[in-house]
Amino acid sequence: MTEDSTVQRIAFWSIFFGTTVLALKYAAYYVTGSVALYSDALESIVNVVAAIAAWWAIRVSYKPADQNHPFGHHKAEYFSAVLEGVLIVVAALLILREVWVAWETPRTLEQPWLGLAINGGASIINAFWASLLINRGRKHKSPALQADGKHIMTDVVTSVGVFAGLVGAILTGWTILDPILAVIVALNILWQGWSVIGNSVQGLMDVGVATEETMRIRDVISSNAGGALEVHDLKTRIAGRVTFIEFHLVVEANMSVGDAHIICDRIENALMAEIPDASVVIHVEPEDEAKLPIGTAAVPFA
């Protein structure tokens, strides 16, 4: 099975799991009337909508480059992640509205243990699926899968907190704990939504690779640039699963095009072996374009 079909299949199953968990969490709210469990169920609605958006975005991101999109469609996944962040924020605001209503009119929890049992089962499913999404998202460099997995994992943490708090409310009889827990859930969701939006916007703004990754790229270039004089103006950017790498390679002015091309091929092949989804562009320049004195070091970086 190809990578694109694997990622799309995982994204599709995320819709199924999200819908199942939503049904269970709503059932838990329905039998208890708990505003905290309502907030948990409301976040699951976001999960389902986000899963559908992620599935669509992943399908688009794997489309080959065309005349209107010569660099491909890799950034489509970031739009899905931004949408998920916005939906998370909306869910948090809806929860706060429900909390206000519950605060004005306190509710007595009905069948609380049954509701907690149902909600606990949903949380176990969520924990399993979130771990798989994060793992596969990192493996396939999919921002949409990673964002979905991290959001669901936050939902799991939230559910654990709600579970513990409601147990305390049941045992002590302090019903005020229910809306207080919902407020905590809402604030946690707001923070997660802001984080998801921020990371996705960085991707849309062509953020470069991390410092450690940059040093690894520099090492690969230096190790495979024998015959060249210098490398400078290294630039990187990330678009979904693809890492774009550009730099200038200085060679002797009298070197043939064929010999310079051999060096470029060697560097490009080494980079793609180290970073499978790399897209490499090398600009070859004569020695008078060097930024450092010739002979400073073996293929130095400016």
Side-chain angles (χ1 to χ4, degrees):
M1 185 177 293
T2 60
E3 181 182 70
D4 60 335
S5 61
T6 298
V7 174
Q8 289 182 46
R9 183 167 59 89
I10 293 172
F12 179 80
W13 275 103
S14 196
I15 299 173
F16 170 78
F17 278 102
T19 303
T20 301
V21 169
L22 169 60
L24 290 172
K25 290 195 172 185
Y26 185 81
Y29 158 67
Y30 182 80
V31 300
T32 62
S34 165
V35 67
L37 291 181
Y38 170 81
S39 68
D40 217 6
L42 194 61
E43 188 176 5
S44 291
I45 296 177
V46 176
N47 290 348
V48 174
V49 175
I52 295 172
W55 176 69
W56 171 83
I58 287 170
R59 285 175 59 87
V60 173
S61 73
Y62 275 98
K63 291 174 62 177
D66 54 35
Q67 185 174 358
N68 294 326
H69 307 89
F71 289 98
H73 302 77
H74 314 293
K75 287 188 176 182
E77 292 194 44
Y78 289 121
F79 290 102
S80 167
V82 169
L83 174 61
E84 180 164 357
V86 172
L87 290 173
I88 292 171
V89 172
V90 171
L93 296 177
L94 291 175
I95 291 169
L96 291 175
R97 176 184 176 278
E98 188 69 14
V99 168
W100 178 259
V101 174
W103 204 284
E104 292 289 311
T105 309
R107 306 170 183 175
T108 301
L109 300 181
E110 301 176 5
Q111 304 185 69
W113 295 114
L114 174 61
L116 286 176
I118 297 173
N119 193 265
S123 298
I124 292 173
I125 296 173
N126 256 355
F128 161 76
W129 189 244
S131 298
L132 188 144
L133 284 176
I134 294 172
N135 179 271
R136 294 297 184 270
R138 288 172 179 167
K139 178 180 178 181
H140 299 292
K141 297 183 178 179
S142 171
L145 288 184
Q146 290 188 63
D148 204 17
K150 289 177 181 178
H151 174 212
I152 294 175
M153 189 58 77
T154 300
D155 190 15
V156 173
V157 175
T158 297
S159 297
V160 172
V162 168
F163 186 92
L166 284 180
V167 169
I170 295 168
L171 295 178
T172 62
W174 297 348
T175 56
I176 193 66
L177 287 177
D178 187 31
I180 290 176
L181 282 170
V183 170
I184 295 173
V185 171
L187 294 177
N188 182 47
I189 292 174
L190 279 173
W191 175 256
Q192 180 68 13
W194 178 257
S195 176
V196 169
I197 293 172
N199 291 336
S200 303
V201 168
Q202 284 294 314
L204 291 173
M205 293 294 291
D206 289 334
V207 65
V209 301
T211 302
E212 296 79 6
E213 186 81 351
T214 299
M215 298 309 298
R216 186 159 65 104
I217 291 172
R218 289 168 65 102
D219 289 342
V220 171
I221 294 173
S222 293
S223 300
N224 292 275
L229 301 176
E230 180 186 288
V231 176
H232 59 246
D233 290 352
L234 173 65
K235 298 176 182 178
T236 64
R237 66 185 177 93
I238 302 173
R241 63 188 172 278
V242 178
T243 300
F244 289 88
I245 303 170
E246 300 179 15
F247 58 89
H248 294 190
L249 183 74
V250 179
V251 300
E252 294 181 354
N254 60 0
M255 178 178 286
S256 69
V257 174
D259 289 341
H261 183 69
I262 290 173
I263 299 173
C264 291
D265 275 352
R266 187 167 65 242
I267 296 173
E268 184 175 356
N269 291 335
L271 284 171
M272 294 186 70
E274 185 73 16
I275 308 171
D277 291 306
S279 176
V280 184
V281 175
I282 305 174
H283 179 69
V284 179
E285 296 180 333
E287 58 196 48
D288 58 353
E289 295 292 331
K291 295 187 176 182
L292 296 174
I294 300 301
T296 300
V299 197
F301 267 87

